[in-house]
Amino acid sequence: MTLKQLIYFLAVADTGRFVQAAAETRVAQPTLSRQVQALEDDLGETLFTRGRDHVTLTSAGETLLPLARRIVADVETARLEIAELADLRRGRLRLGATPSLCVSVVADVLAVFHDSYPGISLQISEGGSRDLVGDLEDGQLDLALVIHQADGFPTTGPAGVPLALTPVLREELVAVSATAGRAPLDEVLGDHAGIAEIARHPLVLNRPGYELREAVLSACAAAGVTPRVAVEGGEMDAVLRMVERGLGVAIVPSLVLTGRTGLHTTRLDGSGWTHRTIVLAHRTDVAPTRAAEAFRETLLAVLARTSRTGGLPTGVRFIHPTS
């Protein structure tokens, strides 16, 4: 088994066609076909079911696919690590973050990081925490800023890849409604409210896949109430805009409220689900790149400075890592 064979295998798996895979990898199609056949011979298994115009993965191919992606990604990481030896003048940082973090702390930290290391290429992936951890395990990300609502922090991800999770922020969830003049909801939602009281009003929910959406629905179920959903399916910024227009109430992280003057904030009564921890995750079976290490240092420095100067939003607290 060679690296080129794995690259050709991934190209065929992604395109579904040998001809297109050959074009994308810039190799003659017969050469690519021979290399894939040699890989199959080496493994003793057929990796593709070959049709007239399209190929599909066999069970053996599906088993090899995530492993091949991880191997190729690790090799690319090794190459970039060598290039980064020249004082981080070149390199790449692949960072994943949840939507609520992308519209709050991530942009500020990246601005400071880019000023310090302008030669580092920045690749940002936005998604739910579960999806980002999966991308991290597959070798598609170097670091991920994700939400962790449990008290303990696991040492492995869902696929069994060892992870290190560094808590960096503790944030409060709050209910938001339109301010007076936009809608009357702030007249019935005071400074504090329980989930049962909030659920009596129409709710604006994020799209499926948001951990926050699942947390809200689970809290409603635990309280024995059925929420009345006014609008669902939006990303974080869309949810806030719909609430500002008076379409309903939403439960959101405190971090996203900076500069949102058209919203009335109500603190949530309850425990457990009303707070969550933001962690910086990385794999421990692969040495972090120097760019990843530099970003971690920048993130902690920016958050510590913002905390000291009182710049963090109400309900957000910086957690000083022990290491």
Side-chain angles (χ1 to χ4, degrees), residues 99 126-131 204-215 217 229 231-236 239:
E126 186 177 6
S129 295
R130 295 187 188 92
D131 291 339
V204 179
L205 293 177
N206 300 101
R207 61 169 174 80
Y210 268 71
E211 287 79 6
L212 178 56
R213 172 194 173 97
E214 303 308 319
L217 295 178
V229 179
V231 185
E232 63 179 333
E235 301 288 348
M236 185 60 66
V239 166

Side-chain angles (χ1 to χ4, degrees), residues 100 147 169-173 253-255 274-276 278 315-316:
S100 62
I147 306 301
L169 290 173
R170 178 77 167 165
E171 69 172 343
E172 181 180 7
L173 299 178
S254 301
L255 270 174
T274 61
H275 291 77
R276 61 188 194 174
I278 298 167
V316 181

Side-chain angles (χ1 to χ4, degrees), residues 92-105:
R92 176 188 67 184
L93 175 68
R94 301 171 301 170
L95 174 68
T98 63
S100 62
L101 295 174
C102 282
V103 300
S104 53
V105 299

Side-chain angles (χ1 to χ4, degrees), residues 152-193:
F153 298 101
T155 56
T156 60
V161 175
L163 301 176
L165 304 180
T166 303
V168 293
L169 290 173
R170 178 77 167 165
E171 69 172 343
E172 181 180 7
L173 299 178
V174 295
V176 291
S177 53
T179 56
R182 300 282 185 95
L185 289 175
D186 61 323
E187 299 174 10
V188 292
L189 281 180
D191 292 335
H192 290 79

Side-chain angles (χ1 to χ4, degrees), residues 93-103 106 110 122-129 131-133 135-136 139-146 207:
L93 175 68
R94 301 171 301 170
L95 174 68
T98 63
S100 62
L101 295 174
C102 282
V103 300
V106 169
L110 286 179
L122 301 175
Q123 298 179 12
I124 308 302
S125 296
E126 186 177 6
S129 295
D131 291 339
L132 292 175
V133 169
D135 291 343
L136 190 66
Q140 299 179 48
L141 295 175
D142 302 309
L143 297 169
L145 277 166
V146 295
R207 61 169 174 80

